[in-house]
Amino acid sequence: MDHTEIKELIEQLAVYCLGILVKSGFVSVEQINQSPWYVKLDEDGQLDKELFLAAASVDDQCRPFILFDANNQLEALAYAVPHEVIHLAQICKGDWLPCYGYSMWKGVRIERIKAEDPAYTTGQPWEAEAHAIDEDLRAKMYETFPMLK
């Protein structure tokens, strides 16, 4: 697959996962639709420097996006989609706002913790929340798209 096809597949998986999150009541359609979110591929290794396969953030115009390392295998990228879609939903709901060096979580400023830090998940509530539900979301995605496992 070329990068355009990978990006399109990730977008389709993201829409599928968002649909599940909407059905579960985690986020509303209105919250998702109020933000023109998008998917980007990291072709210059920015994520690799941070030890990430994928990440969710906002651009300079406060539009949420998910960034994926285009140099990974499709199965690895698909594995990351549910977790990053949860972050996308957190941004769309207004719960999480990633900023440079820190984040705002439900109105509280929390300093950024590096990925290799043992407190990365427990010290960042948006990560704790995403980790608490991403396995179930991933399992549902794999039920529909078993070839990506």
Side-chain angles (χ1 to χ4, degrees), residues 13 38 75 78 85 87 93 96-97 117 142-143:
L13 292 174
Y38 59 99
E75 293 82 4
V85 165
H87 288 322
K93 288 175 18 175
W96 181 43
L97 177 61
D117 190 308
Y142 285 149
E143 283 176 20

Side-chain angles (χ1 to χ4, degrees):
M1 293 182 101
D2 67 21
H3 285 179
T4 301
E5 293 170 320
I6 290 171
K7 182 178 177 227
E8 288 173 0
L9 178 59
I10 291 170
E11 288 169 345
Q12 291 171 358
L13 292 174
V15 168
Y16 177 82
C17 289
L18 283 169
I20 293 171
L21 292 175
V22 167
K23 286 179 188 172
S24 74
F26 183 78
V27 65
S28 71
V29 171
E30 294 77 22
Q31 290 168 320
I32 296 298
N33 290 339
Q34 76 183 354
S35 304
W37 64 273
Y38 59 99
V39 171
K40 281 176 58 172
L41 295 182
D42 177 23
E43 299 180 22
D44 62 5
Q46 175 185 351
L47 287 170
D48 196 39
K49 293 174 196 167
E50 297 286 328
L51 305 176
F52 290 119
L53 171 66
S57 194
V58 293
D59 64 18
D60 293 341
Q61 298 175 353
C62 283
R63 294 177 303 181
F65 68 90
I66 310 173
L67 182 66
F68 288 86
D69 185 343
N71 298 314
N72 278 281
Q73 296 209 352
L74 183 58
E75 293 82 4
L77 296 174
Y79 181 86
V81 169
H83 184 86
E84 298 309 326
V85 165
I86 294 164
H87 288 322
L88 179 69
Q90 291 167 331
I91 293 168
C92 291
K93 288 175 18 175
D95 287 350
W96 181 43
L97 177 61
C99 303
Y100 187 74
Y102 68 96
S103 288
M104 296 300 294
W105 176 253
K106 298 182 178 182
V108 177
R109 180 184 169 123
I110 299 174
E111 297 304 313
R112 180 174 179 240
I113 299 174
K114 293 195 179 247
E116 63 271 14
D117 190 308
Y120 181 78
T121 300
T122 58
Q124 299 179 128
W126 56 92
E127 287 295 343
E129 182 177 77
H131 280 280
I133 61 177
D134 67 359
E135 284 299 322
D136 183 52
L137 184 56
R138 188 173 294 110
K140 290 176 182 171
M141 182 187 77
Y142 285 149
E143 283 176 20
T144 304
F145 305 101
M147 72 294 290
L148 295 174
K149 200 169 188 179

